[in-house]
Amino acid sequence: MNFLKSLPALVVGAALALSASAHAADYKGEYKVSTVLGKPFPWGEAAEKWAALVSERTDGRINMKVYPNAQLVAGDQTKEFTAMRQGIIDMAVGSTINWSPQVKELNLFSLPFLMPDFASMDALTQGPVGEKIFDAIRKQGIEPIGWAENGFREVTNSKHPITSPADLDGLKMRVVGSPLYNDIFTALGANPTQMSWADAKPALTTGAVDGQENPLTVYDVAQMETAGQTYVTLWHYVADPLIFAVNKRVWGSFSDDDKAIVKKAADDAGAYGIGLARKGMTEDDQSLIKALEARGAKITTLTDEQRQKFVDATRDVYNKWKDRIGADLVDMAEKSISER
């Protein structure tokens, strides 16, 4: 009698086990994760942390391998989003800048001088603005599941300190592949040149370009002072949040439990990466800035009055791109920042 009573439970258990086994059999042996920067950049560290946490928490059932330097798209980082949508890439920790040609809302983070501090960035990514942006990405066939950070982008050059727009006049500046950046640096009187990160450092070393803009962590790890980038101005003109994302078909193939694991791992890896991206650059910790100065970097921090001159010089660009991005979204962002 006891045996007969236990039959339904045995049957159900066997069916569940069979279902789980069949589902796991649909999983790939390896999921390709694309990044532009690998370790020891905070960007690459966050991606590797994500892969490690997922492997650990699924007992190796989900195996993610990180491919840095945009190697899955032959070094052309602006093609990463499209390649993930097409299934060439399974997952990515991607730049809001690099994905902005496909998702116009991502240009929000590149509006000049929108975000004055880290709290402003958090107000956007962790609030209703972030949700709106994730909705826009989902419409493109990609599932966004978490945020990380490349950091505020600062300006460097080999010629002289930059404290006013006039100091950029005529400088050849490497910028990322976004027309918004062309507009910003043109408005400031510079000569912007778009090129991939892989081409940037050689161009700076040879003097083919005079300067560039990137987070201090990139300057640090890449030892940009050895490429002649002696002069650094901290102006926080734009920021580059990163997004953990998964191809829609891949995401749909995961069980609900595995989706929860992958997302929680992204949240944890994102927090880890954000900590690395901000280390040594906060009010309480200036250790990275001091270390760079010890290596020969001449660092300038703008006064409020100096910064305002750059704000004024780029206001027409801001207004032009506000309309392109969506005035409602930009208004929401401005409100979120004012209430932070």
Side-chain angles (χ1 to χ4, degrees):
M1 187 66 178
N2 289 339
F3 173 74
L4 291 175
K5 285 183 177 181
S6 69
L7 270 179
L10 289 172
V11 171
V12 170
L16 288 174
L18 184 61
S19 175
S21 175
H23 198 85
D26 294 335
Y27 286 13
K28 294 184 178 183
E30 175 189 293
Y31 291 93
K32 293 180 171 63
V33 183
S34 178
T35 68
V36 173
L37 297 179
K39 296 172 65 175
F41 296 96
W43 190 339
E45 295 283 1
E48 294 286 357
K49 187 76 167 178
W50 185 29
L53 288 174
V54 170
S55 178
E56 174 188 329
R57 294 172 184 179
T58 63
D59 295 322
R61 287 184 298 102
I62 298 179
N63 174 37
M64 296 160 53
K65 182 177 179 181
V66 177
Y67 290 82
N69 306 316
Q71 60 184 283
L72 297 176
V73 285
D76 189 345
Q77 57 215 55
T78 61
K79 293 182 178 178
E80 183 180 68
F81 187 87
T82 299
M84 181 166 46
R85 188 168 53 194
Q86 293 171 342
I88 297 169
I89 294 170
D90 300 309
M91 307 174 181
V93 182
S95 160
T96 52
I97 298 171
N98 292 337
W99 294 359
S100 63
Q102 290 80 35
V103 185
K104 65 182 178 64
E105 290 85 355
L106 292 177
N107 286 293
L108 175 74
F109 299 104
S110 295
L111 278 178
F113 303 100
L114 169 65
M115 298 163 286
D117 50 31
F118 291 125
S120 300
M121 202 186 323
D122 292 340
L124 300 188
T125 60
Q126 306 305 314
V129 171
E131 286 303 317
K132 285 274 189 185
I133 287 173
F134 273 17
D135 287 343
I137 293 172
R138 286 190 185 99
K139 290 176 183 176
Q140 299 280 357
I142 300 295
E143 182 64 27
I145 60 172
W147 294 95
E149 189 174 302
N150 195 25
F152 278 105
R153 300 179 77 90
E154 318 294 4
V155 64
T156 77
N157 81 102
S158 60
K159 301 297 185 182
H160 50 242
I162 294 174
T163 59
S164 73
D167 294 324
L168 277 159
D169 191 37
L171 286 185
K172 293 174 289 185
M173 300 295 296
R174 177 265 174 178
V175 297
V176 295
S178 163
L180 175 47
Y181 286 77
N182 271 349
D183 286 354
I184 292 171
F185 279 88
T186 298
L188 292 171
N191 179 15
T193 302
Q194 292 184 350
M195 62 179 65
S196 70
W197 172 246
D199 295 330
K201 192 171 181 182
L204 292 163
T205 302
T206 61
V209 292
D210 301 314
Q212 60 90 52
E213 45 76 55
N214 252 313
L216 278 192
T217 53
V218 174
Y219 184 100
D220 173 34
V221 176
Q223 299 181 326
M224 299 298 287
E225 75 277 5
T226 65
Q229 297 300 287
T230 305
Y231 300 98
V232 181
T233 294
L234 306 182
W235 63 346
H236 278 26
Y237 86 119
V238 301
D240 187 16
L242 305 175
I243 297 173
F244 293 85
V246 184
N247 168 274
K248 190 174 183 178
R249 290 182 297 277
V250 170
W251 186 250
S253 73
F254 290 157
S255 68
D256 289 344
D257 285 346
D258 283 341
K259 286 177 182 176
I261 290 171
V262 173
K263 177 173 175 23
K264 180 61 167 63
D267 290 338
D268 292 344
Y272 172 74
I274 288 170
L276 293 177
R278 299 181 183 184
K279 187 177 181 181
M281 292 177 283
T282 63
E283 290 184 8
D284 298 331
D285 177 13
Q286 297 275 297
S287 58
L288 177 58
I289 294 171
K290 292 176 181 177
L292 295 180
E293 287 177 328
R295 280 164 32 187
K298 302 182 187 305
I299 297 180
T300 299
T301 300
L302 297 181
T303 65
D304 290 342
E305 182 179 0
Q306 288 172 328
R307 188 176 185 274
Q308 188 59 44
K309 291 180 180 179
F310 289 97
V311 174
D312 294 341
T314 56
R315 189 48 38 172
D316 286 346
V317 175
Y318 186 106
N319 292 332
K320 168 186 172 181
W321 280 86
K322 177 176 180 176
D323 291 338
R324 292 187 177 183
I325 294 164
D328 289 348
L329 180 62
V330 177
D331 287 342
M332 182 186 291
E334 292 170 347
K335 184 173 186 291
S336 294
I337 290 171
S338 69
E339 296 175 349
R340 70 191 186 284

